[in-house]
Amino acid sequence: IIQAGTSAGTGIDKVLSVNPNFNAAFDTAFSNLEIRFGKNPASFATNGFGGGFDWEASGTGNMTVTNCNIHDNSVVDGSGGGITITNTPGGTGQFTLSGSAVNNNVAQRPAGNTARGGGIFVGTHTRFTVTSTQINNNQALTSNGEGGGLFIFNPGTTPISVIHGGTISGNQAAVRGGGIRTTAGIQIEQGAKIPNNTAP
């Protein structure tokens, strides 16, 4: 268990940051971890991305997350309540999430601003594969919240990013994309279930 507080909402920072200076491409693997109770206090203009953890590929870095439980994390003025993944220059780097759970995370911003990705925020040019993973009961709050479960920013990637199997359920967004809000092409394969998400 890796945590930044004793319960949801009590954390003092995000739990983990991988390549926080956006200046190195390297491979990373998380397995069999519980990442919980992170609360990122930073602002959108600084480092308000990722409550549980954030990752930057820097072009060619890869990250694999297997059999992990990322839950009850939050950001107070940013995006990616549970996870933020980015590949700022674009490139072959890929994020792979499998057999895991991303549940009960919250992205929020002050009123009038847009919180994105209650569960997971995916930045531009960032390729991902999500397999047999539960992304449930996350929230993108405040007046313009988008992507309760996932928010995926354009432009997309080649090859295209994929969601294979798993469940995206019970997520909420204030405006659009209760389960998924995407402005990039993604492939959702047979077996994925996306029920009971809400956005007004």
Side-chain angles (χ1 to χ4, degrees):
I1 297 172
I2 307 174
Q3 62 191 50
T6 56
S7 61
T10 65
I12 58 172
D13 206 340
K14 72 176 73 176
V15 182
L16 295 164
S17 190
V18 181
N19 191 18
N21 293 325
F22 286 44
N23 62 357
F26 53 89
D27 292 348
T28 303
F30 290 172
S31 62
N32 304 308
L33 295 178
E34 184 176 358
I35 299 170
R36 66 185 188 183
F37 307 153
K39 183 178 181 181
N40 186 341
S43 70
F44 181 85
T46 57
N47 187 29
F49 294 84
F53 69 88
D54 67 335
W55 168 76
E56 161 65 28
S58 289
T60 58
N62 299 290
M63 183 166 190
T64 302
V65 177
T66 307
N67 194 31
C68 290
N69 185 4
I70 299 98
H71 69 93
D72 293 293
N73 302 286
S74 63
V75 296
V76 301
D77 183 15
S79 300
I83 302 168
T84 288
I85 61 172
T86 54
N87 191 354
T88 303
T92 59
Q94 176 166 321
F95 180 82
T96 301
L97 177 66
S98 61
S100 294
V102 182
N103 297 334
N104 302 310
N105 302 286
V106 179
Q108 54 193 338
R109 296 195 66 197
N113 297 287
T114 302
R116 297 182 171 102
I120 303 172
F121 174 84
V122 182
T124 60
H125 307 288
T126 306
R127 187 175 177 218
F128 66 88
T129 299
V130 175
T131 303
S132 300
T133 289
Q134 313 303 311
I135 303 172
N136 299 334
N137 303 314
N138 302 285
Q139 297 178 309
L141 299 176
T142 67
S143 51
N144 300 317
E146 299 182 328
L150 295 98
F151 184 96
I152 304 152
F153 233 126
N154 69 299
T157 58
T158 303
I160 200 167
S161 293
V162 178
I163 297 171
H164 181 79
T167 301
I168 300 170
S169 178
N171 303 287
Q172 301 177 46
V175 175
R176 56 180 67 87
I180 301 170
R181 162 74 162 141
T182 182
T183 56
I186 58 172
Q187 179 174 325
I188 300 175
E189 296 186 344
Q190 186 175 7
K193 298 178 175 63
I194 313 177
N196 303 319
N197 301 284
T198 57

